[in-house]
Amino acid sequence: MSTHHLADSDFQGRILALTGGVGGAKLARGLAGVLKGGQLTIAANTADDFDYWGLRICPDLDSVMYALADLNDETRGWGLKDESWRTGIAMRRLGGDEWFQIGDQDAATHIFRSQMLATGSSLAEVTEKLCCGLGIAQTLLPMSEDKVATKVNTDQGWLEFQEYFVRDKCEPEVRGLAFDGIETAQLHPAIVDLLQGDELAAVIICPSNPFVSVDPILSIPGCRALLNATKAPVIAVSPIIAGRAVKGPAAKMMRELAMPATATAVAQHYGDLLDGYVLDEQDADCADDVASLGIEVCVAPTMMSDVSSKMRLAEIVLDFAAGIALRN
Ligand code: GDP
């Protein structure tokens, strides 16, 4: 087990962060705070993307974007701060769908995206434009340009991901997951280039839901092989703290998928992909079990409640990665 000391934020090389929405966005914000803009590339899950009100919604890309721009609403946990909801109220008056909430400012993001996609831009191009508009210096990429859609097999039958997640509030019991379109999806070429290049210093799997946020990325054909082949250490941060998810259904899903809701089970799930794993201090007793999987362990405070705790965890993760790279 490594004990950590804070790095001097002089980390060299490029970092690839794999992320979902909320939990991943928190660490992405921390990494953005301690790395130079050009060092950080964030690849976000797009298997939650869907169409609503005739607009293309990319929840994970947007969560990361808003977090990097410091425009995210910390209290609500999603969407933009200082938001208003008049579009939704007007939509209800018209008899439109209202199970998914879209704020007035947030709507501009989806309109902007949908308009650019309709005129032939790629999702990465749209995301770059949106990031540019929000003054974001880091590179944010969709995991793929190909459409992949998470379907949730539940005790109530198969559901679209957002029907399960938002409309049904994660209440149905999960029996399995499928990522429609994954067999033919290609990892975004810029992610492949980064994974194959010699500037890559670490891959960080953010504390996102392993099953519905990270697995779609890892399930793209060739992704695991590239991660196994890179010389850069692959490090994951546990999204499970003391048997609970900080937010969302990860722990409930683990129990329903007949797995213990523990930080160790998440490490086991990622398996031989990992060189290092960051456990929360409350889970220090899992360290030996994770180490017995042949994965180096770092125990750290992983609850990110404000910008300084996000940056502190980012520094610990980078320091841990640098140590592993030196030893290998
Ligand atoms: P989603 O796509 O919006 O569901 O977001 P993610 O998959 O990125 O994030 C959900 C996961 O983030 C959950 O499993 C949470 O437990 C985890 N999470 C959220 N906040 C934190 C935090 O501060 N620390 C850690 N370690 N995990 C967190």
Side-chain angles (χ1 to χ4, degrees):
M1 193 198 320
S2 88
T3 49
H4 61 264
H5 59 90
L6 292 187
D8 302 324
S9 305
D10 56 357
F11 196 87
Q12 303 293 316
R14 294 178 63 187
I15 301 296
L16 174 64
L18 308 183
T19 180
V22 177
K26 289 190 196 173
L27 186 58
R29 174 61 186 87
L31 290 164
V34 299
L35 292 166
K36 295 180 199 79
Q39 286 183 287
L40 180 59
T41 299
I42 301 151
N45 169 43
T46 54
D48 298 1
D49 296 6
F50 71 119
D51 296 307
Y52 185 80
W53 292 354
L55 303 173
R56 190 69 182 157
I57 318 280
C58 304
D60 290 354
L61 282 170
D62 290 348
S63 293
V64 174
M65 219 162 56
Y66 296 159
L68 292 178
D70 283 329
L71 290 172
N72 59 310
D73 190 294
E74 295 275 2
T75 318
R76 201 185 316 116
W78 54 270
L80 287 157
K81 61 185 173 189
D82 303 321
E83 188 57 285
S84 56
W85 307 94
R86 295 175 63 87
T87 311
I89 292 167
M91 195 61 81
R92 191 175 319 155
R93 194 162 55 210
L94 297 173
D97 278 335
E98 53 167 322
W99 57 269
F100 190 85
Q101 281 182 282
I102 294 181
D104 298 332
Q105 302 176 80
D106 191 25
T109 303
H110 312 313
I111 294 168
F112 189 101
R113 171 184 297 123
S114 305
Q115 191 181 23
M116 276 190 73
L117 289 173
T119 51
S121 297
S122 69
L123 185 55
E125 285 166 350
V126 180
T127 306
E128 190 184 353
K129 264 265 162 52
L130 287 165
C131 285
C132 181
L134 296 176
I136 294 167
Q138 294 73 26
T139 303
L140 174 61
L141 292 167
M143 65 182 196
S144 175
E145 288 293 343
D146 303 308
K147 279 192 182 171
V148 176
T150 300
K151 313 272 173 179
V152 189
N153 190 11
T154 73
D155 54 346
Q156 296 165 28
W158 283 95
L159 299 172
E160 301 289 326
F161 179 72
Q162 296 297 346
E163 292 175 347
Y164 162 78
F165 196 68
V166 177
R167 191 194 65 193
D168 298 347
K169 303 182 182 66
C170 309
E171 282 160 10
E173 194 175 308
V174 175
R175 294 185 174 156
L177 295 155
F179 308 127
D180 259 24
I182 200 78
E183 299 82 6
T184 52
Q186 293 185 8
L187 206 55
H188 193 283
I191 303 172
V192 176
D193 286 349
L194 187 52
L195 282 168
Q196 289 179 330
D198 46 20
E199 285 180 298
L200 189 67
V203 178
I204 298 167
I205 301 178
C206 291
S208 287
N209 185 312
F211 313 101
V212 292
S213 293
V214 181
D215 273 359
I217 308 177
L218 301 181
S219 304
I220 295 177
C223 183
R224 275 186 168 263
L226 283 166
L227 289 169
N228 277 324
T230 177
K231 284 202 284 297
V234 178
I235 315 275
V237 178
S238 175
I240 298 292
I241 302 180
R244 288 200 199 91
V246 181
K247 197 170 188 300
K252 175 176 179 280
M253 238 176 219
M254 291 175 88
R255 289 189 295 271
E256 291 167 355
L257 293 170
M259 215 179 283
T262 61
T264 308
V266 174
Q268 264 162 344
H269 179 73
Y270 291 137
D272 64 3
L273 211 57
L274 298 185
D275 299 298
Y277 191 60
V278 181
L279 281 171
D280 191 79
E281 287 170 338
Q282 295 183 56
D283 294 313
D285 58 350
C286 297
D288 288 346
D289 287 342
V290 176
S292 73
L293 301 169
I295 300 168
E296 289 202 38
V297 178
C298 170
V299 176
T302 71
M303 189 68 89
M304 296 172 279
S305 47
D306 53 18
V307 175
S308 66
S309 55
K310 291 169 193 170
M311 287 173 55
R312 189 178 49 169
L313 180 58
E315 293 215 317
I316 290 168
V317 173
L318 293 174
D319 197 21
F320 181 45
I324 293 179
L326 270 181
R327 285 187 288 282
N328 286 346

